Amino acid sequence: MTALSAPSTPEQLAAMSDRAREVVRLNIEALEALERSLDSSIARAADVILSRPGYVVVTGMGKSGHIGGKIAATLASTGTNSFFVHPAEMSHGDLGMLRPDTTLLALSNSGESRELRDPLIFCARNDIPVIGLTQRPQSFLGRHSDVCLTMPKVAEACPNGLAPTTSTLMSLAMGDALAMVLMDRRGFTREDFGLHHPGGSLGMSLQTVREWMGDNAAAPASVPLDADFRTVVSAITEGRKGAVAVLAPDGSLAGMITDGDVRRAFTNDITALHAEDIMSRSPITVDPQARMSDVVDLLSANKISNLFVIDERRPVAIIHIAELMQAGYVS
């Protein structure tokens, strides 16, 4: 068992901090070199992908594979159908994922990864275009690529020049650049992005009120215009939303009574009060097709806790800010 090392001396702490800064600086320099080296090949790669109806299949070995997985996820979330396949798995049956309408995006810093040879040969035999991402355009990958995204040759931050560091960062940046170029060309919108991220805060905010309600939204507590004070209080209590809808004879929303309205009513003779006497006659409401982000904005801007969802003039649900906070719509 390896013994724990003694706490670092001030000199060692300073040296480690300097080394960390050096690594960051080397990465910055690598990205700057990548920016300077970019040419029309990335536009040609985008054209190849846009001309193909099928998926972009991303592959890579080792650290390049990890980066490839992230690139595939970014492509998929920004409008370009994509998934990652391990190159070794391709040699054992998964080459079937390379259909005639797909595009292969292969990553290898050296361009000579043995595991990439089978999928590259398969693509050549079946006229499946290959986009290669490598530092060596004359490598096996480079020679078998229809478009080669060539990264500049820069030193790794690893002192032994072995652990992929600057090279993987450049690969990631190149993948992000390709994804964003494709996103722009497709006209992929904020709403489109939200549809791919229903579990994230953006997707939640772009959700409609009807989607939030679901198929079984509970009808809001309600009382008629002539309901007495006791009935109003009972309805608010049973509804557990701090408010009750006041309905006109035809079932449309005539007003709203909140806990605050009830408290203020105690300054009068409550025995003579009816719902129409204490209700707010112009409550803030939303349509079922409104965005949940609009609901949050209305609640915040008007400093209110709840509002009704109105469909054909009738209240079909009530939204309370506490529910939105619990669900993550409001932080």
Side-chain angles (χ1 to χ4, degrees):
M1 183 175 178
T2 304
L4 296 176
S5 61
S8 300
T9 65
E11 292 77 13
Q12 291 172 322
L13 290 172
M16 287 189 286
S17 297
D18 288 343
R19 175 57 177 150
R21 293 189 187 93
E22 180 186 15
V23 171
V24 172
R25 177 177 54 77
L26 289 171
N27 279 323
I28 292 172
E29 292 174 355
L31 290 177
E32 290 175 339
L34 176 64
E35 181 187 18
R36 291 192 298 270
S37 71
L38 285 177
D39 55 24
S40 62
S41 60
I42 196 164
R44 289 187 284 114
D47 276 344
V48 169
I49 293 171
L50 290 166
S51 70
R52 309 282 291 175
Y55 283 77
V56 175
V57 180
V58 185
T59 191
M61 191 67 192
K63 302 301 185 295
S64 292
H66 294 307
I67 297 299
K70 191 274 179 186
I71 292 173
T74 299
L75 288 169
S77 70
T78 54
T80 299
N81 294 329
S82 179
F83 59 88
F84 177 84
V85 183
H86 194 285
E89 298 294 338
M90 287 192 185
S91 299
H92 294 274
D94 285 356
L95 281 173
M97 296 182 180
L98 291 171
R99 303 186 314 183
D101 61 352
T102 59
T103 304
L104 180 67
L105 173 59
L107 286 70
S108 173
N109 188 43
S110 68
E112 300 291 350
S113 295
R114 183 179 66 256
E115 293 82 1
L116 287 179
R117 289 179 175 258
D118 287 341
L120 292 175
I121 292 171
F122 180 87
C123 287
R125 288 174 178 171
N126 292 276
D127 295 323
I128 297 172
V130 175
I131 298 170
L133 204 168
T134 180
Q135 278 191 344
R136 298 173 58 190
Q138 301 307 314
S139 63
F140 190 85
L141 171 58
R143 297 195 306 274
H144 283 76
S145 296
D146 294 85
V147 179
C148 186
L149 301 176
T150 305
M151 298 182 298
K153 293 183 178 180
V154 297
E156 300 285 8
C158 170
N160 299 316
L162 300 174
T165 47
T166 53
S167 60
T168 50
L169 181 63
M170 288 191 297
S171 297
L172 181 62
M174 186 78 85
D176 285 343
L178 178 61
M180 296 303 102
V181 168
L182 289 166
M183 185 177 178
D184 290 346
R185 283 285 303 275
R186 294 183 191 280
F188 196 78
T189 66
R190 177 184 176 89
E191 284 71 23
D192 295 328
F193 188 87
L195 290 174
H196 288 197
H197 296 75
S201 59
L202 173 60
M204 292 169 68
S205 69
L206 293 175
Q207 195 176 37
T208 66
V209 172
R210 189 179 298 280
E211 290 168 339
W212 172 83
M213 290 164 51
D215 296 329
N216 300 303
S222 62
V223 295
L225 285 165
D226 60 355
D228 60 29
F229 191 77
R230 181 185 295 273
T231 301
V232 170
V233 173
S234 178
I236 293 178
T237 302
E238 292 177 5
R240 298 184 178 182
K241 295 291 182 71
V244 65
V246 181
L247 303 182
D250 63 357
S252 63
L253 183 69
M256 176 183 191
I257 300 174
T258 66
D259 285 335
D261 295 323
V262 169
R263 289 192 297 271
R264 286 186 287 273
F266 276 102
T267 60
N268 303 301
D269 179 10
I270 61 174
T271 61
L273 293 177
H274 294 88
E276 62 182 327
D277 300 321
I278 58 175
M279 70 181 186
S280 298
R281 296 181 180 274
S282 300
I284 295 172
T285 63
V286 292
D287 183 88
Q289 297 308 315
R291 298 287 189 189
M292 289 304 293
S293 57
D294 297 331
V295 173
V296 173
D297 290 344
L298 282 171
L299 292 172
S300 301
N302 292 280
K303 298 180 180 180
I304 55 177
S305 299
N306 38 40
L307 50 74
F308 287 109
V309 182
I310 302 299
D311 192 6
E312 296 183 354
R313 300 175 59 215
R314 298 172 181 268
V316 294
I318 184 171
I319 301 177
H320 196 286
I321 194 167
E323 295 175 311
L324 301 186
M325 293 176 67
Q326 185 176 12
Y329 289 91
V330 181
S331 57

